[in-house]
Amino acid sequence: MNKRLHTRLAWIIIGTATCILLISTLSVIIATHYHISMFHDQAAGMNQDVSQLDYHLEQALFQSIIWTFTGSIILAVLIGFYIAKQISKPLIDMKQVSGNECRAGGSIPGSPSAARTSWRNLALH
């Protein structure tokens, strides 16, 4: 159960972060391409060297966006697994304690059912 809960939480966190990063990356790429195309159309009468500069600038921006996206995904995976582990640990501990209490018939010292049992025993005597 520990690994399943931990893994499910991690994939939910990673999936959410990936979707957000994918949407933002695509919007930046599309907007960048649109604005460089618009500049290229406006500067059509200028020197041809500007056209090559536009192409290289667009390629550099795309590469930096893709590298940022890749690094962000790696960071999201690491943080996702860490957060999932931290969230699932107390839940797993509580499940184990309740399972131990059920197997022991409620006789774990300090547990609410043990307190009820001791009050019942006092009332019967």
Side-chain angles (χ1 to χ4, degrees), residues 2 24 32 44 49 102-103:
N2 185 9
S24 64
T32 302
D49 292 338
C102 288
R103 281 190 293 278

Side-chain angles (χ1 to χ4, degrees), residues 18-33:
T18 301
C19 289
I20 291 169
L21 288 169
L22 190 61
I23 290 169
S24 64
T25 299
L26 288 176
S27 66
V28 168
I29 287 174
I30 290 169
T32 302
H33 179 70

Side-chain angles (χ1 to χ4, degrees), residues 19-96:
C19 289
I20 291 169
L21 288 169
L22 190 61
I23 290 169
S24 64
T25 299
L26 288 176
S27 66
V28 168
I29 287 174
I30 290 169
T32 302
H33 179 70
Y34 172 74
H35 286 288
I36 289 178
S37 303
M38 203 166 61
F39 173 75
H40 191 281
D41 291 342
Q42 288 177 352
M46 295 177 81
N47 192 352
Q48 292 297 336
D49 292 338
V50 174
S51 175
Q52 288 289 26
L53 181 63
D54 290 344
Y55 174 75
H56 289 296
L57 176 64
E58 189 172 14
Q59 290 299 319
L61 285 172
F62 284 164
Q63 286 178 2
S64 66
I65 290 168
I66 296 301
W67 278 112
T68 303
F69 174 75
T70 304
S72 299
I73 293 296
I74 291 170
L75 189 62
V77 168
L78 296 174
I79 291 173
F81 277 112
Y82 175 75
I83 289 174
K85 183 178 179 182
Q86 296 302 317
I87 290 173
S88 64
K89 186 175 179 349
L91 297 172
I92 299 300
D93 292 343
M94 285 188 288
K95 182 170 174 33
Q96 288 173 347

